[in-house]
Structures are given as C-alpha cells and as structure tokens.
Amino acid sequence: MKPRTTPGRLRWLAALLVAGIALVAASSGLRVARAGDDADALRTRTVPAVLALDQVAAALTEADRAASRELASGAFPLTGPGTDYQDAVKTAGQALADARERIGSSGTEAAQLRAVDGLIIEYTGLVGMAQSGREGPLAVAGVAYASDLLHAPDTGILARVGQLRDAELASVRKTRDDYWTSSGAVLPFVISVSLAIVVLVGIQIYLAGRFRRRINPQLAFATVLLLVLAVWQSTNALRTRDRIDTAAGSGTTRMAALWEARTNVQRVVGAESLALVSRGVGDDHRAASDAALRALADPALPDARARQDAASIRDIVAQIRGRGFGPPPPAGSADLAPRDGETVRLLLGGGPTTLTGLATDADAALASTLAATRKDTERRLADAGDAQGLGIGGPLLCAAALAAGLWGLWRRYDEYRTGR
C-alpha cells in the first residue's frame, strides 16, 4: 500500500534509494568481475596454449631439419641426428607439457594431446632406429619415414597439432567476442544508474515541494557520485574492449603467423636436405619445400626482413636444384651424403649466400618480432583485466552515494519530526 503520511513516504523513498543503489553496485561489480575473468582466461590459458602449440610445431620442424642436415653433411653415421635435434625435441616436449597444463587433463583436447605425445615418441623412435642402423640407406629411410610421420596431411603430427591450435584459437575468438568483454556489457549498469538517478531526482523534486527547499545538497552529491561512477565504468568497458580486440584479435593472429613462418623456414632447409640425400626419390620433399616457400612469400608475412630473406632463400634453392645431385656414390657404398662440395656449401654453409645461413637470419628476425609481439599482447591482456580500481572504487562510491542520499532524507525526516 502506498504510504499516505510524510514520514511513511520518506521511509518508502529511502527503501527505494537503497534498492536502486544496491542494483548499481551489483551490476557494476558483475561487469568488472566477468570482464576480468575473461581477460585473465585469455592471458593465462587460451593465448598461451595457442603459442605453446605453435612452439611444438616449430620445434619438431627444427628437429626434422637438424636430422636431415646431419644426413646431408655426412655426419649422421657417426653422430646421429646431432645436438640440435636433441635440443629441438626437448623444446617440443616442454612446449607440449605447457600446452597440457593450459588445456587441462580432461576432455577431447587433452586426449588429442596424449595422442600427439605418443606420435612424438614414435617419431623419435624412427630417428633412433635410423641412427642405430648406421648405414646410409637405412639412415635415409628412417629419417624420411620420421619426416613423413611428422608432415603427413591430416594425420601427421603437425596436422594434429594444428587441429588443436585451431580449437584453441576458436576459444580465443569465443572469449574475445563474449558479451562481458563487449562495450554492450555496460548497458545493464547504465540502466541501473539511470534508474537510481531518476530516483534521486524524484526524491529531490518531492522534498523541494514538500519542504519548500530548492535543492538538497546531500542528494545532489549522491547524484554526482553516481555520474562519476557511470563515466568510470563506461571508460573501463571501452578500454577492456579495445585491449582484448587488439590482443586476442590481431595480436594472436600475428603471433600465429610468425610461428608458422619460423616453421616454414626450417621446413625449406629440412625438405631440401632430404631431397638431396635421397637423390630426388620422392618428389614430395621438394613439393613441401615449394609450399613453404610460397607461404614465406606471402605479402601478409608480418616481418619485412624475413620476406627479404625468403626471396634470397628461393634463389639459393634454385641454385641447389640447378646443380643436380652430384656424382652418385660408389656401388655398394653406405654413405649417401652429397659429394658435390659446392652443393653442400650452398645447403649447409653459414652466411648470407647459403640456405642454412639465410634460414638462420630469417628465423632470428622472426623470433625477435615474435618476442616483441608477445610482450605487447601480454601487456594489453593485462591492461584489459585491470579494473582500474573499480573493484574497490565502485562499492565505495555506491556506499558514499547511499550514505549521502540517506543523510539527505534523514535531515528532512528529522525536520518534519522535530518541527525545526
């Protein structure tokens, strides 16, 4: 029932004010908490999971390149795939463990990670068998089979890692496009603030007419505090939207492209090495090299220096192929290493006139750009999750506005009660 006495109306208005500002505090805290949770999920789980899976792919391709390089150098029968191979496999294992920690130990993706782990064990086993065989044909066959296991379309290790990465990228996009990280997330708060201000203005109009006062300072102060909170919340919501759009959008896409470019750089060297030691048996090695070169020539590759190196890499590859496979090994020889010294130098030598030298330079440029991009992305995600003090400031402003509003009502109630 609507109260008919002035004290009753004042009590009813006080209850309405409490409800309105409580709604403001709840909607403010909810938006800040949910937006922060989404930003933290991107920063600590999904984006690092994508990067870890990209690192797995790059490290395994580096391992493949290292083993193929040792074959081409003639060192494989003595040293096996070499320390670079061992380091790359170790890096891949660490990155896979990082991805597993981010993704969790249950669910479809966790099962896929376990399958990848098993395939990596199979891959290293093939390379180990090639090393134990010592003889050239067996070594080439073992490394080639391992490379096929790594690069096979749809079912290969890298294809499976790519499927996992795509699933994590979908999670990144889903979180990025979530309601609580959008500008529209502030709408419930704006509605609640508007209702609270309408209540405050209505109270002031009532008090002005009933007590013949033009303005109630306490109620005016409460209104100002809510307006300050509204501006603060809106600014933070726009800031969160901007940071997440940039970091989880272009930032993540750029990092994925850089990791893929690093993988392609190593793939060219590994495929050309395998093509050379197998003396052209299996054109798929050079077809894989051509595919990697086309990807590196993409104008969208986010590193100008790497694009320049890619053009030089194509020229060196053309020179290597133009020289053919060199003189064949003697009949019955177990050593299938290329015997043309200039071809081996073009493939494995250092400096800007060799394939390995150019690949090393391009990889360093990509790694530098990747590190800077990752640092910027992490900073933006951290900024997106920063409530800018709203976690404490919001409730304090609401409490201050409520206290001021109730004090203003109490002053009029006391005036009515005492007649002063």
Side-chain angles (χ1 to χ4, degrees):
M1 176 181 290
K2 186 176 179 180
R4 297 182 180 278
T5 64
T6 297
R9 290 192 180 96
L10 291 176
R11 286 191 292 269
W12 183 78
L13 290 173
L16 194 60
L17 181 61
V18 169
I21 293 184
L23 184 61
V24 170
S27 58
S28 172
L30 180 62
R31 192 211 68 82
V32 169
R34 293 299 299 272
D37 288 345
D38 282 349
D40 286 344
L42 287 170
R43 183 173 57 85
T44 62
R45 200 197 78 79
T46 48
V47 171
V50 170
L51 297 180
L53 291 168
D54 281 330
Q55 188 174 13
V56 171
L60 289 174
T61 307
E62 163 63 13
D64 186 51
R65 180 198 66 81
S68 301
R69 183 191 62 195
E70 293 302 301
L71 280 174
S73 71
F76 195 91
L78 297 175
T79 64
T83 56
D84 286 349
Y85 166 85
Q86 301 293 344
D87 290 343
V89 170
K90 181 179 179 181
T91 298
Q94 291 171 340
L96 193 66
D98 184 28
R100 187 181 298 111
E101 181 180 351
R102 308 287 183 179
I103 292 173
S105 58
S106 60
T108 303
E109 290 184 21
Q112 290 175 321
L113 277 175
R114 289 191 290 272
V116 168
D117 205 5
L119 287 172
I120 292 176
I121 294 173
E122 183 179 350
Y123 168 81
T124 57
L126 287 171
V127 176
M129 289 176 62
Q131 179 182 1
S132 64
R134 298 294 182 185
E135 295 184 358
L138 291 178
V140 172
V143 173
Y145 288 150
S147 184
D148 289 343
L149 176 63
L150 187 63
H151 296 284
D154 301 326
T155 59
I157 299 173
L158 295 185
R160 292 170 182 264
V161 171
Q163 292 164 7
L164 281 165
R165 187 193 67 174
D166 290 344
E168 287 302 303
L169 280 173
S171 295
V172 169
R173 289 189 290 269
K174 181 179 179 181
T175 305
R176 181 196 64 193
D177 298 333
D178 187 63
Y179 170 76
W180 294 106
T181 58
S182 70
S183 302
V186 80
L187 185 59
F189 168 78
V190 170
I191 292 173
S192 65
V193 166
S194 300
L195 291 174
I197 290 176
V198 167
V199 170
L200 283 166
V201 171
I203 292 173
Q204 292 191 71
I205 291 173
Y206 169 75
L207 294 181
R210 178 63 183 81
F211 293 91
R212 304 187 184 280
R213 304 287 179 85
R214 289 188 176 182
I215 190 168
N216 184 302
Q218 292 81 16
L219 292 173
F221 181 62
T223 303
V224 170
L225 290 178
L226 291 183
L227 289 172
V228 169
L229 180 57
V231 172
W232 194 358
Q233 269 280 0
S234 299
T235 301
N236 182 260
L238 291 172
R239 183 175 184 268
T240 298
R241 172 75 276 171
D242 175 69
R243 299 298 193 277
I244 287 183
D245 269 348
T246 303
S250 59
T252 302
T253 301
R254 181 179 174 86
M255 287 188 291
L258 288 165
W259 273 117
E260 185 176 358
R262 294 185 71 181
T263 300
N264 284 323
V265 165
Q266 303 298 341
R267 181 60 172 142
V268 172
V269 181
E272 291 296 329
S273 299
L274 272 179
L276 199 61
V277 296
S278 64
R279 308 190 67 77
V281 176
D283 291 336
D284 54 334
H285 297 311
R286 284 189 166 166
S289 175
D290 289 336
L293 285 170
R294 286 193 297 271
L296 289 171
D298 190 338
L301 178 65
D303 190 275
R305 179 177 158 191
R307 287 196 299 272
Q308 293 173 358
D309 284 338
S312 300
I313 286 173
R314 284 196 302 275
D315 294 338
I316 297 297
V317 166
Q319 291 181 47
I320 292 171
R321 293 181 181 182
R323 298 185 65 84
F325 300 107
S333 172
D335 182 9
L336 297 185
R339 297 181 175 277
D340 182 78
E342 179 60 16
T343 302
V344 174
R345 186 195 72 79
L346 286 171
L347 178 65
L348 303 178
T353 61
T354 69
L355 184 57
T356 297
L358 286 168
T360 300
D361 186 69
D363 187 69
L366 291 165
S368 176
T369 304
L370 178 61
T373 304
R374 181 166 188 169
K375 183 177 180 181
D376 180 68
T377 299
E378 289 174 345
R379 177 183 60 80
R380 289 180 182 275
L381 287 175
D383 288 346
D386 183 7
Q388 295 182 295
L390 273 169
I392 296 176
L396 287 178
L397 281 178
C398 287
L402 180 60
L406 292 177
W407 177 244
L409 279 169
W410 169 256
R411 293 284 301 276
R412 300 290 79 82
Y413 180 83
D414 186 58
E415 178 182 339
Y416 180 87
R417 184 174 58 86
T418 61
R420 293 182 295 177

